[in-house]
């Protein structure tokens, strides 16, 4: 199948790019693994302009998808395993062995939750360890949970969990939060949330039933360890970019953590190669900034395609 533009990833960056590309009459496909990206599993979004103050990630995702489809953008549920460039033609191969061609690619694959790497984390995933409060909070009604992390995600998810859990211990490795003041104020004033500063998780334990029953933590100042009895551990300690599959293509510029580097036109390396959203090396990762990146990448890729076609 031949396209003008292939967008990889269907989060807000990818779908915003889709809307702009569709409207520029580019034959466009969005390849996706997890529809909606991180946005799709976000409980409530309060800062996306024009949504009336609060909208669920699910709803915003559905609206963006519909807008892409209305602009003739196709969604393809195949994971891309390789990208090659021969002259002006870019060839994309998927896990099913299918090959698609296009003139420009926009990488909008976002980032996945970072793991702590402590004992018990991978063993008890789904048995009390979770990376998604929206998905799993319901299982922890009237139970005790810990939330690990000090960024906006940890703070937001702790607040969300306080609607379900009986008590939340919010554990941050420093004495000041990285997340925004408004969220810090809310967690500090939530009677169900207890904050442990200067504390790192050491080990997650489980009972004979295989379900999580405790979290061993250590105070980094006095080195004292304690075990918190609980049923759930929610981990929100940042993300790692989804760029493993393009690392060896030689088409993308990236930093040593795998985040993509772009110029002012969102070009990410070779001609016709663009990137947008949380996969980029940048300071601010918001839905609105991802959407803006996607729009810019699509407009610039449309200009590029026009130039090489005529
Ligand atoms: P983040 O801002 O990178 O925060 C990650 C947190 O995890 C930091 O507090 C960090 O501690 C901690 N951490 C990292 N590795 C750790 C480890 N091994 N052990 C213990 N703690 C560890 O990530 P995020 O919260 O997912 O947010 C990502 C981006 O999305 C941010 O730009 C954020 O503003 C944005 N976001 C915005 C909203 C919103 O506006 N509504 C909601 C969610 C996310 P240190 O602080 O010590 O580094």
């Amino acid at each position: 199948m031949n396209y003008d533009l292939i967008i990889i990833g269907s989060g807000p960056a990818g779908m915003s790019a889709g809307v702009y590309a569709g409207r520029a009459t580019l034959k466009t496909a969005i390849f996706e693994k997890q529809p909606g990206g991180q946005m799709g599993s976000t409980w409530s979004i309060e800062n996306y302009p024009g949504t009336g103050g609060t909208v669920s990630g699910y709803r915003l995702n559905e609206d963006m998808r519909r807008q892409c489809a209305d602009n003739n953008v196709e969604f393809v549920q195949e994971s891309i395993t390789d990208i090659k460039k021969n002259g002006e033609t870019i060839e994309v191969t998927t896990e099913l062995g299918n090959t698609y061609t296009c003139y420009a690619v926009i990488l909008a694959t976002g980032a996945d939750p970072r793991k702590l790497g402590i004992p018990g984390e991978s063993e008890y995933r789904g048995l009390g360890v979770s990376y998604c409060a929206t998905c799993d909070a319901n299982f922890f009604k009237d139970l005790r949970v810990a939330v690990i992390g000090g960024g906006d995600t940890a703070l937001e998810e702790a607040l969300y969990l306080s609607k379900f859990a009986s008590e939340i211990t919010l554990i941050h490795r420093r004495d000041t939060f990285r997340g925004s003041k408004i969220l810090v104020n809310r967690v500090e004033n939530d009677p169900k949330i207890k904050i442990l500063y200067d504390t790192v998780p050491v080990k997650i334990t489980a009972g004979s039933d295989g379900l999580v029953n405790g979290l061993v933590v250590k105070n980094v100042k006095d080195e004292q360890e304690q075990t918190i009895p609980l049923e759930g551990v929610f981990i929100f300690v940042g993300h790692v970019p989804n760029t493993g599959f393009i690392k060896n293509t030689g088409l993308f510029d990236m930093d040593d953590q795998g985040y993509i580097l772009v110029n002012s036109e969102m070009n990410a390396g070779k001609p016709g190669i663009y990137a947008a959203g949380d996969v980029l090396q940048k300071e601010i990762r918001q839905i609105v900034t991802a959407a803006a990146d996607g729009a810019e990448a699509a407009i610039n890729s449309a200009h590029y395609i026009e130039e090489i076609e005529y």
Side-chain angles (χ1 to χ4, degrees):
M1 177 74 86
N2 301 329
Y3 294 101
D4 293 319
L5 173 67
I6 285 180
I7 298 166
I8 312 173
S10 63
M15 289 198 285
S16 170
V19 169
Y20 275 79
R23 290 174 57 77
T25 67
L26 297 181
K27 185 169 164 49
T28 301
I30 297 180
F31 282 67
E32 61 181 355
K33 252 191 346 194
Q34 184 195 341
Q38 290 180 68
M39 176 184 76
S41 60
T42 299
W43 158 57
S44 170
I45 294 159
E46 297 183 12
N47 51 11
Y48 193 79
T51 53
T54 177
V55 64
S56 70
Y58 175 82
R59 170 75 196 279
L60 198 49
N61 172 44
E62 289 296 302
D63 288 349
M64 288 187 186
R65 277 182 96 78
R66 194 175 50 246
Q67 202 174 356
C68 283
D70 288 349
N71 285 289
N72 302 315
V73 173
E74 291 174 34
F75 286 88
V76 181
Q77 280 81 36
E78 288 182 47
S79 283
I80 289 172
T81 50
D82 197 18
I83 306 175
K84 287 194 174 69
K85 192 164 192 273
N86 301 312
E88 281 160 351
T89 303
I90 297 169
E91 205 177 89
V92 161
T93 310
T94 72
E95 60 186 344
L96 302 179
N98 295 329
T99 298
Y100 302 84
T101 64
C102 58
Y103 298 114
V105 159
I106 299 175
L107 182 76
T109 44
D112 274 345
R114 177 178 290 130
K115 310 288 182 293
L116 288 168
I118 59 171
E121 181 181 16
S122 58
E123 294 91 318
Y124 307 126
R125 185 172 185 169
L127 299 167
V129 175
S130 171
Y131 302 87
C132 177
T134 314
C135 321
D136 297 332
N138 223 4
F139 300 122
F140 295 89
K141 265 189 192 141
D142 302 322
L143 298 176
R144 301 159 296 181
V145 302
V147 169
I148 321 282
D152 281 329
T153 307
L155 302 177
E156 264 191 355
E157 303 295 341
L159 290 164
Y160 179 59
L161 280 158
S162 83
K163 294 178 192 300
F164 299 83
S166 57
E167 58 183 74
I168 295 112
T169 310
L170 177 56
I171 295 163
H172 181 38
R173 64 182 176 183
R174 291 187 295 126
D175 61 2
T176 44
F177 283 114
R178 179 178 292 276
S180 58
K181 254 201 171 98
I182 185 167
L183 293 174
V184 174
N185 284 343
R186 282 191 210 162
V187 295
E188 283 175 346
N189 290 310
D190 189 313
K192 278 194 187 171
I193 300 177
K194 177 183 163 197
I195 302 170
L196 289 184
Y197 292 104
D198 297 314
T199 301
V200 291
V202 174
K203 187 168 116 180
I204 299 167
T205 60
S208 54
D209 57 1
L211 298 175
V212 165
N213 69 358
L215 174 68
V216 180
V217 296
K218 184 172 82 177
N219 183 296
V220 292
K221 292 205 165 139
D222 63 16
E223 302 268 306
Q224 287 290 310
E225 284 195 3
Q226 61 166 309
T227 301
I228 305 169
L230 44 65
E231 286 75 36
V233 178
F234 285 80
I235 300 165
F236 305 109
V237 293
H239 294 87
V240 284
N242 287 316
T243 50
F245 70 106
I246 48 103
K247 222 170 207 157
N248 299 320
T249 60
L251 298 174
F252 293 82
D253 297 333
M254 55 177 78
D255 69 12
D256 52 9
Q257 287 184 64
Y259 283 104
I260 302 292
L261 306 166
V262 288
N263 66 12
S264 58
E265 294 176 352
M266 313 307 281
N267 177 263
K270 300 285 185 231
I273 300 292
Y274 297 85
D278 283 8
V279 77
L280 301 184
Q281 183 203 62
K282 60 179 189 162
E283 281 295 312
I284 305 205
R285 293 193 171 84
Q286 300 288 309
I287 295 172
V288 72
T289 56
D293 290 347
E296 281 191 53
I299 292 167
N300 287 314
S301 60
H303 290 162
Y304 167 78
I305 292 166
E306 253 170 48
E307 271 171 32
I308 63 168
E309 275 188 333
Y310 302 105

